[in-house]
């Protein structure tokens, strides 16, 4: 893209991001061709997890003096807001369709 300021053309250069994307696309295409033609292959052999042996043991002895947690309820008076509703008559809009002058 060219821009003319003061009689001299000024050319804007593309950013480095565009160049990086092009290089990555070319690399991906080359890797795809190498896999498709068989130069590279992903030979995955079946494997197995190693066998692990775990021997049981005793829990360690711990002398712990802890407090007891007591949970319960008690009667207490608190202020609770109450919402009241009333019925009023109001005008609401209606929408209808007239066909051939009929309602």
């Amino acid at each position: 893209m060219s821009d003319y300021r003061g009689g001299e053309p000024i050319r804007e250069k593309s950013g480095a991001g565009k160049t990086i994307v092009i290089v990555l696309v070319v690399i991906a295409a080359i890797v795809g061709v190498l896999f498709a033609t068989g130069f590279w292959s992903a030979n995955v052999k079946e494997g197995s997890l190693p066998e692990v042996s775990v021997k049981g043991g005793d829990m360690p002895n711990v002398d712990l003096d802890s407090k007891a947690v007591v949970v319960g309820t008690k009667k207490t008076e608190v202020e609770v807001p109450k919402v009241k509703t009333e019925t009023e008559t109001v005008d609401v809009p209606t929408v209808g369709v007239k066909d051939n002058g009929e309602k």
Side-chain angles (χ1 to χ4, degrees):
M1 177 180 194
S2 297
D3 188 12
Y4 294 95
R5 294 182 193 155
E8 294 183 31
I10 299 172
R11 297 196 179 258
E12 296 180 16
K13 297 181 180 179
S14 63
K18 188 175 183 181
T19 305
I20 291 172
V21 170
I22 291 172
V23 169
L24 291 176
V25 168
V26 169
I27 290 172
I30 291 171
V31 169
V33 168
L34 290 174
F35 272 110
T37 57
F39 282 104
W40 279 358
S41 63
N43 291 333
V44 179
K45 298 179 182 176
E46 291 186 24
S48 63
L49 295 174
E51 292 188 20
V52 178
S53 174
V54 178
K55 295 180 182 177
D58 294 331
M59 294 292 291
N61 293 330
V62 177
D63 184 19
L64 179 66
D65 294 327
S66 66
K67 302 291 182 184
V69 177
V70 179
V71 179
T73 61
K74 67 177 183 174
K75 299 276 187 193
T76 305
E77 291 186 15
V78 294
E79 292 184 16
V80 178
K82 300 216 178 201
V83 178
K84 294 182 180 180
T85 59
E86 298 176 1
T87 303
E88 293 184 11
T89 303
V90 295
D91 292 329
V92 293
T94 58
V95 177
V97 177
K98 290 184 178 181
D99 188 26
N100 295 327
E102 297 176 11
K103 240 183 178 178

